[in-house]
């Protein structure tokens, strides 16, 4: 492969060396838990913020773990003899994991970051030097082929991904390979693509060093590397979603106008999914003057797919431009050049009549339903990750609600979801509350207003009585016509089921 200004990468044709390195790293407790024990919570948290001084202070000794942290995480050269006591140093040098640094020292050629898997697995994420501890801007690295480590977006996507066992998974735009690594736990076959050949090389290193099966690695943009007749049970992508003028940085800039890359990715995913399969993406989208942003996103959803789109954050165009200029390190360069780049961003937004940019999650599910469901909502509030099971259950409930008309719904049995509480809002001393609110303490942590009938209904739901029988009992208690209560309540039941407050039983 060709590199332009970046350090040569370790060889991928020596799985035996990767296996021995992994054994040595584990033997020295170079793991997520081991780092926390060594550094302590403040220094560990500072490292996540790209601040290395506390970690440097905590690794002044010469234990094997301190040596590895300084070598692979903090990118500090270490004496050859000290490293040889911890790693198979000659093999690591020969295969390119280490390089001679002069004065009897060796240095790492890549950043290696311990990462705890969802079931306690000890994984290692490989990336270009400096990126995991400083970000691309933090090291002044502007090479378009740079491969970053795991960031907040990567962990968000991993947390929302549905993790049911599947036959095939596609990680589109794999980067350092974190999504492919997660998929290897529950997919028989994993395909990973990237427009950047260096990223595929790094993904192979991440998988090998983490003890995961190799993936089918393919070079190309979007779905270009995928055969026309090839479909998948799961598609995930943390794409280069940044809406920018031009495509300076491969890892973040899509190279298409506006939000066209994210739109194309979503629209093309439908025909690549097997029935019942999920496609899950992080994305940015434009808020255009005179256009409803929700309608814009609904137009992206491919035919034959249910969709759940959640907007998590909105930034005005100045905030957005500043965020990504800092990401590239432009704020540390020539002020005139910074101003010119800033102007270019605002010119681009002005030409497209863009007032703000939204960020969030997009989940598609291939369905055979005659009328697919498309939900587009704004939810900037805290949630409880991981959400993969919550998202899967959301689509299961959609199927249930489509299958049951109101009469069948009243024959159904429901159970109040775990850790739902009722809050009453009103003036002190008032006989009746102004509002009754049900609030989730798990998953999406939603809150929804209900009337007294809805609150009473939800409180009684334990799966034993049908919805109709519960409403009949409530009607008798409040002195209301049971027929009229049965007529007006199913809409409220449907909302509580759709939002996850009530779980259908059987």
């Amino acid at each position: 492969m060709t590199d332009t200004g970046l350090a040569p990468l370790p060889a991928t044709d020596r799985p035996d060396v990767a296996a021995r390195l992994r054994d040595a790293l584990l033997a020295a407790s170079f793991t997520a838990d081991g780092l926390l024990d060594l550094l302590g919570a403040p220094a560990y948290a500072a490292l996540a913020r790209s601040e290395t001084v506390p970690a440097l202070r905590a690794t002044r000794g010469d234990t094997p773990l301190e040596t590895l942290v300084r070598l692979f995480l903090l990118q500090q050269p270490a004496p050859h003899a000290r490293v040889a006591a911890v790693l198979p140093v000659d093999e690591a040098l020969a295969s390119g994991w280490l390089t001679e640094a002069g004065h009897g020292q060796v240095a790492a050629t890549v950043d290696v970051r311990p990462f705890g898997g969802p079931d306690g697995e000890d994984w290692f994420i490989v990336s270009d030097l400096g990126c995991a501890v400083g970000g691309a801007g933090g090291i002044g690295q502007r090479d378009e082929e740079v491969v970053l480590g795991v960031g907040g977006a990567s962990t968000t996507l991993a947390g929302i991904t549905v993790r049911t066992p599947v036959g095939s998974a596609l990680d589109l735009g794999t980067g350092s390979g974190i999504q492919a690594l997660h998929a290897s736990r529950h997919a028989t076959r994993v395909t990973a693509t990237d427009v950047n050949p260096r990223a595929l090389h790094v993904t192979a290193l991440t998988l090998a060093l983490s003890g995961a099966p190799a993936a089918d690695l393919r070079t190309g943009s979007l779905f270009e590397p995928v055969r026309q007749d090839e479909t998948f049970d799961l598609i995930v992508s943390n794409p280069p979603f940044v809406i920018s003028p031009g495509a300076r940085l491969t890892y973040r800039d899509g190279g298409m106008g506006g939000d066209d890359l994210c739109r194309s990715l979503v629209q093309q995913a439908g025909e690549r999914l097997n029935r019942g399969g999920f496609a899950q993406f992080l994305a940015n989208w434009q808020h255009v003057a005179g256009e409803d942003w929700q309608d814009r996103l609904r137009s992206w959803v491919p035919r034959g797919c249910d969709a759940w789109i959640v907007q998590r954050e909105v930034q005005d165009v100045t905030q957005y431009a500043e965020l990504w200029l800092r990401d590239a390190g432009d704020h540390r360069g020539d002020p005139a050049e910074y101003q010119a780049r800033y102007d270019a961003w605002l010119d681009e937004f002005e030409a497209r009549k863009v007032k703000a940019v939204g960020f969030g999650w997009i989940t598609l599910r291939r369905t055979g339903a005659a009328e697919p469901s498309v939900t587009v909502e704004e939810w900037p509030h805290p949630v409880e990750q991981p959400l993969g099971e919550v998202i899967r259950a959301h689509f299961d409930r959609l199927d249930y609600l489509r299958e049951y008309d109101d009469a069948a719904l009243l024959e159904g049995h429901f159970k109040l979801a775990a850790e739902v509480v009722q809050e009453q809002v009103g003036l002190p001393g008032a006989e009746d509350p102004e509002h009754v609110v049900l609030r989730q303490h798990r998953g999406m942590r939603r809150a929804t207003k209900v009337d007294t009938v809805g609150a009473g209904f939800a409180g009684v739901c334990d799966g034993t009585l049908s919805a109709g029988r519960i409403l009949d009992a409530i009607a008798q208690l409040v002195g209301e016509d049971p027929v009229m209560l049965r007529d007006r309540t199913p809409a409220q039941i449907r909302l509580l089921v759709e939002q996850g407050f009530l779980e259908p039983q059987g």
Side-chain angles (χ1 to χ4, degrees):
M1 63 177 292
T2 302
D3 293 321
T4 55
L6 294 167
L9 293 171
T12 59
D13 59 355
R14 292 295 305 274
D16 55 326
V17 175
R20 281 192 281 276
L21 275 175
R22 172 178 172 78
D23 289 342
L25 296 177
L26 293 176
S29 296
F30 187 64
T31 64
D33 289 342
L35 284 184
L36 182 58
D37 289 342
L38 171 67
L39 302 179
Y44 189 79
L47 196 60
R49 298 192 302 270
S50 304
E51 297 291 347
T52 59
V53 172
L56 287 167
R57 292 172 61 87
T59 55
R60 290 169 170 169
D62 59 359
T63 67
L65 181 54
E66 288 170 302
T67 298
L68 293 176
V69 171
R70 292 179 71 86
L71 187 68
F72 284 118
L73 273 185
L74 304 177
Q75 281 95 59
Q76 301 293 310
H80 185 289
R82 185 179 299 172
V83 176
V86 186
L87 300 176
V89 67
D90 292 335
E91 290 179 299
L93 285 166
S95 58
W97 289 93
L98 300 176
T99 187
E100 299 283 0
H103 306 290
Q105 295 190 313
V106 297
T109 59
V110 288
D111 189 297
V112 177
R113 176 171 291 262
F115 189 90
D119 291 325
E121 301 93 341
D122 289 313
W123 290 341
F124 300 99
I125 311 302
V126 179
S127 64
D128 273 312
L129 287 173
C131 293
V133 295
I139 59 171
Q141 179 58 267
R142 292 175 175 81
D143 194 293
E144 65 175 15
E145 292 187 4
V146 67
V147 181
L148 270 62
V150 176
S154 300
T155 53
T156 293
L157 179 60
I160 68 172
T161 300
V162 176
R163 296 296 176 193
T164 53
V166 294
S168 57
L170 171 65
D171 175 14
L172 196 152
T174 187
S176 60
I178 181 61
Q179 310 305 330
L181 185 55
H182 276 280
S184 71
R185 297 174 55 251
H186 62 102
T188 303
R189 175 173 58 88
V190 176
T191 302
T193 72
D194 206 291
V195 71
N196 181 5
R198 187 177 181 90
L200 296 176
H201 193 125
V202 168
T203 291
L205 297 174
T206 290
L207 294 173
L209 198 59
S210 298
D216 180 2
L217 305 177
R218 306 180 191 176
T219 306
S221 177
L222 296 178
F223 289 98
E224 288 176 2
V226 178
R227 297 191 308 271
Q228 198 66 34
D229 61 345
E230 200 171 9
T231 56
F232 300 87
D233 301 309
L234 174 66
I235 300 172
V236 293
S237 183
N238 176 17
F241 52 66
V242 176
I243 300 171
S244 61
R248 290 170 59 207
L249 299 172
T250 303
Y251 73 87
R252 70 167 207 194
D253 299 322
M256 296 185 184
D259 52 16
D260 283 353
L261 181 132
C262 290
R263 176 186 55 78
S264 298
L265 179 60
V266 174
Q267 290 180 335
Q268 294 174 23
E271 62 185 7
R272 302 296 185 179
L273 280 176
N274 294 325
R275 174 73 72 85
F278 286 91
Q280 299 186 265
F281 315 105
L282 300 185
N284 276 178
W285 43 79
Q286 299 172 149
H287 285 230
V288 180
E291 177 181 292
D292 185 290
W293 69 269
Q294 293 177 315
D295 289 343
R296 181 183 190 85
L297 289 173
R298 288 188 185 96
S299 74
W300 292 9
V301 178
R303 294 180 61 184
C305 287
D306 291 325
W308 185 15
I309 302 174
V310 181
Q311 180 168 272
R312 296 286 291 155
E313 183 180 0
V314 181
Q315 290 184 317
D316 67 50
V317 292
T318 59
Q319 291 174 309
Y320 189 80
E322 291 161 12
L323 169 67
W324 295 109
L325 287 166
R326 288 195 302 272
D327 172 80
D330 292 323
H331 60 306
R332 295 188 174 128
D334 177 58
E337 184 177 346
Y338 175 82
Q339 182 175 339
R341 291 192 187 280
Y342 201 150
D343 269 332
W345 283 71
L346 297 186
D347 286 344
E348 179 83 3
F349 285 133
E350 185 176 340
R352 295 179 177 276
K353 299 182 180 179
V354 176
K355 302 301 182 184
V357 177
F359 168 82
W361 321 322
I362 298 177
T363 299
L364 307 177
R365 185 191 60 167
R366 190 78 184 178
T367 179
E371 296 184 15
S373 168
V374 177
T375 300
V376 183
E377 63 176 325
E378 185 165 20
W379 191 253
H381 311 293
V383 298
E384 181 191 44
Q385 285 274 37
L387 281 169
E389 180 59 22
V390 172
I391 290 174
R392 184 202 60 76
H394 167 86
F395 288 93
D396 285 348
R397 293 193 300 272
L398 288 182
D399 286 341
Y400 177 89
L401 293 172
R402 271 195 291 246
E403 182 180 348
Y404 289 85
D405 61 17
D406 286 355
L409 193 73
L410 293 177
E411 294 299 317
H413 294 241
F414 302 92
K415 186 175 182 180
L416 187 65
E419 296 190 41
V420 172
V421 298
Q422 176 179 308
E423 299 174 356
Q424 297 186 172
V425 180
L427 294 173
E431 184 175 346
D432 296 313
E434 294 178 18
H435 303 293
V436 179
V437 175
L438 299 182
R439 187 179 300 278
Q440 301 168 349
H441 281 227
R442 305 296 301 272
M444 291 293 289
R445 294 178 173 165
R446 293 187 184 277
T448 190
K449 291 181 183 178
V450 292
D451 59 21
T452 53
V453 171
F457 179 87
V460 175
C461 283
D462 61 4
T464 58
L465 296 176
S466 70
R469 290 188 62 186
I470 293 174
L471 290 179
D472 291 343
I474 291 175
Q476 187 174 4
L477 282 173
V478 299
E480 187 168 340
D481 184 340
V483 175
M484 293 184 64
L485 193 61
R486 279 173 172 257
D487 283 344
R488 71 177 175 85
T489 307
Q492 190 168 193
I493 297 175
R494 287 185 180 277
L495 179 63
L496 292 175
V497 171
E498 181 182 345
Q499 295 191 343
F501 289 92
L502 295 177
E503 298 171 349
Q505 302 297 297

